[in-house]
Amino acid sequence: MAGNSGMEQLILIMNKLQEACASSGTSHRFDLPQIAVVGSQSAGKSSVLENFVGKDFLPRGSGIVTRRPLVLQLLTHPSEFAEFGHLRGKKFTNFDEVRQEIENETDRLTGKNKGISNVPITLRVFSPHVLNLTLVDLPGMTKVAVGDQPPDIEQQIRAMLFEFISKENCLILAVSPANSDLANSDALKIAKEVDPNGTRTIGVITKLDLMDQGTDAREVLENKLLPLRRGYIGVVNRSQKDIEGKKDIAAAMAAERKFFLSHPSYRHMAERMGTPYLQRCLNQQLTNHIRETLPSLRSELQTKLLAMESDYKVYMNFNPDDPTIKTKAMMTFINQFTEDYLQAIEGTGEVSTKELSGGAKINTIFHERFMYMLH
């Protein structure tokens, strides 16, 4: 099932780096290689992830169900259990409890009014049936605010998605349902905004069994209609009726295999379709992607390490009870703040390429918005 064991370790190393960054409580954030899952509501993202694990463990319902990013780390292991990053040491063997904990942890931060937060929940699933793989499940794109949701919920979700997928080291798993026009797919549209050449995007087409009779997605799956360098993979998930009837995921996977082998439009590419192939493909793509980005990541880590060692030397002999040290430290902080403030005003510090900042922003407000408000 797995590939080169040495290469497989790369995913585990990236998992540790992710956890270290998340738990450090500092501003250090690295553009780590990862796969982010995007798609509109009801596109079938949850079903794809549950099929990977072979268990029902994700919250379901109407409206926005995923309201915080879920970092799902799948790890090959002889026994089957789950662990949360915020509940270290506690093993969950009942996956209904996993679902409940995701809901509770989401509500703890966002409340019960369907609000969203960009603070991720980390879930590790150990199982003999999975390949080493890390995915970030993001909230489904929506157009209309429901119930107590803020009216700008669409913009909030877009901003959160861009926070993840605009990073160069992030692969995008764009999930689109086959029973709606793929040219208008929300997932492919937002992926194209940050990855116009389609080099980082992997297409997943769901609900192939629900297409109108006489139609198929063959041209898309053959990568002819809307080409992506990494191509498309088709999957068939359980229907809502199957889920409510507690249809076994193993039986659903067997039905999916039968669908591709027996369908006249897809049987010639049946070996490159389905959930097991998608999981193998993502494992391989993520491993290769990590290997390609390692040199630049190593360089970035070394630069940060040298900067931190330099800071450490300054404070190495720091004695908090020495009044002169306190005065010096305060003066250092004030000078650093002054320098950062001046750089921001002059635009000589860290300049954003996505929006105006510092002096340029102040200038725009004074000469455009302020004058308009005065009139």
Side-chain angles (χ1 to χ4, degrees):
M1 254 171 55
N4 183 311
S5 59
M7 290 292 104
E8 286 286 308
Q9 293 301 311
L10 289 176
I11 295 175
L12 306 183
I13 292 166
M14 287 304 127
N15 288 350
K16 287 179 181 176
L17 276 174
Q18 266 183 339
E19 287 164 29
C21 288
S23 62
S24 66
T26 68
S27 59
H28 291 298
R29 291 290 180 269
F30 295 99
D31 181 7
L32 294 173
Q34 58 187 6
I35 300 176
V37 187
V38 299
S40 57
Q41 280 180 27
S42 305
K45 294 192 290 105
S46 296
S47 294
V48 170
L49 298 180
E50 286 183 336
N51 285 355
F52 285 170
V53 177
K55 299 281 183 185
D56 294 312
F57 69 96
L58 291 172
R60 290 182 180 275
S62 58
I64 300 178
V65 180
T66 306
R67 295 187 285 125
R68 285 175 62 181
L70 177 71
V71 179
L72 179 62
Q73 298 176 353
L74 305 180
L75 302 154
T76 308
H77 195 271
S79 52
E80 193 169 58
F81 61 94
E83 284 181 351
F84 283 95
H86 62 276
L87 293 172
R88 291 188 176 278
K90 184 176 180 182
K91 293 183 179 180
F92 291 79
T93 52
N94 183 340
F95 281 80
D96 288 335
E97 291 177 11
V98 171
R99 181 194 298 112
Q100 191 58 53
E101 182 55 36
I102 292 172
E103 291 176 359
N104 294 344
E105 180 62 13
T106 300
D107 289 343
R108 187 183 66 78
L109 207 65
T110 62
K112 295 182 181 289
N113 66 344
K114 298 289 185 185
I116 64 168
S117 165
N118 64 352
V119 179
I121 297 171
T122 302
L123 173 64
R124 287 182 289 278
V125 176
F126 298 82
S127 170
H129 311 299
V130 301
L131 296 178
N132 289 336
L133 186 60
T134 302
L135 300 153
V136 183
D137 184 24
L138 297 170
M141 285 171 272
T142 184
K143 296 282 192 294
V144 183
V146 178
D148 297 329
Q149 285 174 356
D152 65 338
I153 190 72
E154 182 186 358
Q155 286 74 30
Q156 284 189 31
I157 291 174
R158 277 180 64 85
M160 188 195 295
L161 298 185
F162 277 116
E163 187 183 324
F164 283 86
I165 66 173
S166 57
K167 293 174 180 172
E168 282 301 312
N169 283 347
C170 180
L171 297 181
I172 306 163
L173 192 68
V175 181
S176 308
N179 58 348
S180 62
D181 186 4
L182 284 167
N184 296 322
S185 161
D186 289 331
L188 292 174
K189 204 182 292 181
I190 198 168
K192 201 164 184 62
E193 287 182 48
V194 294
D195 180 30
N197 299 322
T199 54
R200 294 192 285 125
T201 307
I202 305 160
V204 175
I205 309 298
T206 62
K207 305 188 180 183
L208 289 163
D209 55 328
L210 301 182
M211 293 187 78
D212 291 339
Q213 206 163 359
T215 63
D216 60 52
R218 181 173 170 171
E219 281 205 325
V220 176
L221 294 173
E222 288 178 345
N223 212 14
K224 292 176 182 174
L225 188 64
L226 300 162
L228 295 173
R229 188 180 294 183
R230 296 173 188 267
Y232 293 85
I233 297 168
V235 296
V236 175
N237 298 324
R238 293 173 299 165
S239 65
Q240 191 60 39
K241 185 181 175 184
D242 292 335
I243 293 163
E244 288 167 4
K246 303 287 184 188
K247 183 176 180 179
D248 183 49
I249 289 180
M253 303 269 265
E256 176 190 56
R257 176 83 177 142
K258 186 179 177 184
F259 171 83
F260 284 114
L261 286 171
S262 59
H263 198 289
S265 299
Y266 310 130
R267 64 163 71 112
H268 69 288
M269 50 178 147
E271 296 306 316
R272 292 181 286 108
M273 296 291 127
T275 305
Y277 177 78
L278 174 60
Q279 191 175 178
R280 287 197 305 274
C281 180
L282 293 180
N283 169 267
Q284 193 61 53
Q285 298 245 19
L286 182 58
T287 305
N288 291 342
H289 185 53
I290 292 170
R291 187 174 57 195
E292 288 163 11
T293 55
L294 268 180
S296 59
L297 184 63
R298 185 167 180 266
S299 173
E300 188 185 354
L301 278 166
Q302 283 179 328
T303 304
K304 295 254 185 188
L305 184 62
L306 288 170
M308 288 180 75
E309 282 176 348
S310 173
D311 288 344
Y312 171 69
K313 282 175 185 172
V314 173
Y315 297 109
M316 188 167 56
N317 300 314
F318 184 84
N319 180 2
D321 298 321
D322 184 346
T324 60
I325 293 287
K326 283 185 177 179
T327 307
K328 286 177 185 173
M330 180 59 74
M331 288 304 297
T332 303
F333 288 138
I334 291 170
N335 288 336
Q336 185 62 53
F337 173 77
T338 308
E339 191 179 326
D340 291 346
Y341 190 81
L342 285 170
Q343 284 183 346
I345 297 285
E346 293 166 359
T348 56
E350 287 189 18
V351 180
S352 171
T353 56
K354 295 187 174 63
E355 61 177 2
L356 291 174
S357 60
K361 195 167 191 176
I362 295 169
N363 195 38
T364 305
I365 291 169
F366 264 94
H367 288 90
E368 292 180 17
R369 290 174 62 187
F370 186 58
M371 292 302 292
Y372 172 75
M373 293 297 287
L374 279 178
H375 285 304

